[in-house]
Amino acid sequence: MADDMLVLEDFERHIGTTFVLTDETGQTADLVLTEVTAVSASSAAAQRAQFSLLFTSHEAIVRPQTVYSLGHAEMGDLAIFLVPIARNETGVSYEACFG
């Protein structure tokens, strides 16, 4: 699924589900979609409303910001730019923004 076709509603029903991240070396990690947030209302000129996604991982390592392949049972394979935004004793949070 192409990024320019994704909208907030595509993700809302998948909150709490697992996306499998695959990095450039082929290693995988489970990310859980924990939040979907509307950032702003869409304007007539915008192709879609801005929104963000928050994923959490129970891994101890922090992966660098880059485009990752995320696989989902219903959504299929997606290429999404993820940014690590927090780390605590339970894992790492990553954010993806769409606009």
Side-chain angles (χ1 to χ4, degrees):
M1 185 176 286
D3 168 287
D4 62 343
M5 297 168 53
L6 297 171
V7 294
L8 178 138
E9 293 81 10
D10 292 328
F11 291 95
E12 282 183 320
R13 65 190 188 106
H14 299 297
I15 293 173
T17 65
T18 301
F19 289 73
V20 179
L21 175 151
T22 303
D23 68 16
E24 70 282 349
T25 67
Q27 293 183 335
T28 62
D30 289 345
L31 301 181
V32 176
L33 179 61
T34 55
E35 288 182 31
V36 177
T37 306
V39 176
S40 70
S42 61
S43 67
Q47 289 184 326
R48 65 176 166 208
Q50 295 178 359
F51 67 98
S52 67
L53 306 175
L54 185 65
F55 295 93
T56 57
S57 166
H58 293 295
E59 286 189 315
I61 63 166
V62 178
R63 295 174 182 274
Q65 67 180 32
T66 192
V67 176
Y68 289 100
S69 173
L70 296 183
H72 188 266
E74 289 185 33
M75 295 186 73
D77 293 326
L78 308 168
I80 297 181
F81 185 80
L82 295 177
V83 177
I85 60 168
R87 179 179 181 204
N88 61 30
E89 62 279 349
T90 62
V92 181
S93 296
Y94 296 91
E95 183 177 42
C97 295
F98 297 82

